[in-house]
Amino acid sequence: MDHFVYLHGEMCAEDVPLAKIAEAVGTPFYCYSSATLKRHYHVFAKALAGLDATICFAVKANSNLAVLRTLANMGAGADVVSGGELTRALAAGMPAEKIVFSGVGKTDAEIEQALVANIRSINAESEPELAAIDRVAKRLGKTAVVTLRINPDVD
C-alpha cells in the first residue's frame, strides 16, 4: 500500500495534507513516508524469507539520514559507492557487516575506510582495483573480503 493518497481532494502523506506541511516548512521540500518505506522493506523481506539474504539499500538512490535510519532500524544494510555514502550509512546505524562497497574508481582512502570499518565486502570492478584492495589491506594488516564483478564478453 502506498501512503501517498488524495483525501478530500488534497494530496496527503500518511493522512497529512502536503499543503499543511508546505505551510509549516516552506517549499520546495522533500516528503518521505516511513510507512511506505517500512511496507516496501517488509515486501522484500517476505519474498526472501527462508533464504540467507541481506537486503541492502542503494544509498545513491537516497542518502537522507532519516530514510537510511528507518531502513537500518528494520534490519537493512547498504550498498555504497563512495566513502561519503559509507559514512552516512554507518551514521544512520546500518551495521558494517551489512554494508557492501560497489562502484568503480575507489580511492585508496575509501578502500582503507571500508577495511577499517570492517564492512561485509568490497566489490572489485577491475584487476587494478583488486590489486589496490590487496595493497591497502596488506598495509593495514587486514584480510579484505572481496566480491568480483564479472562482465562477460567485455574486452
Side-chain angles (χ1 to χ4, degrees):
M1 174 173 200
D2 190 339
H3 295 276
F4 289 93
V5 296
Y6 280 97
L7 296 174
H8 312 293
E10 283 193 275
M11 175 56 85
C12 297
E14 298 182 28
D15 299 331
V16 178
L18 292 182
K20 185 175 181 179
I21 297 171
E23 286 175 19
V25 302
T27 62
F29 69 95
Y30 290 99
C31 181
Y32 304 105
S33 164
S34 60
T36 297
L37 288 170
K38 290 174 184 177
R39 184 205 175 276
H40 290 297
Y41 178 86
H42 290 301
V43 168
F44 278 109
K46 184 178 178 183
L48 299 171
L51 299 175
D52 183 18
T54 301
I55 298 170
C56 292
F57 180 74
V59 175
K60 68 182 172 184
N62 189 328
S63 63
N64 180 289
L65 285 175
V67 168
L68 299 178
R69 211 171 276 122
T70 297
L71 293 165
N73 288 338
M74 289 184 294
D79 182 323
V80 302
V81 296
S82 71
E85 287 184 6
L86 175 56
T87 297
R88 292 186 76 76
L90 292 169
M94 291 176 158
E97 65 271 10
K98 290 186 176 184
I99 298 175
V100 295
F101 200 140
S102 303
V104 298
K106 296 171 200 72
T107 66
D108 283 6
E110 289 174 321
I111 294 166
E112 180 173 337
Q113 181 185 6
L115 291 170
V116 169
N118 292 313
I119 67 168
R120 180 180 197 134
S121 68
I122 301 172
N123 293 348
E125 310 286 336
S126 66
E127 287 182 54
E129 188 169 78
L130 187 59
I133 295 167
D134 182 56
R135 181 180 66 251
V136 174
K138 282 180 180 172
R139 181 172 49 81
L140 295 174
K142 295 184 116 351
T143 299
V145 177
V146 176
T147 309
L148 299 178
R149 180 175 178 195
I150 307 294
N151 290 319
D153 296 324
V154 176
D155 292 335

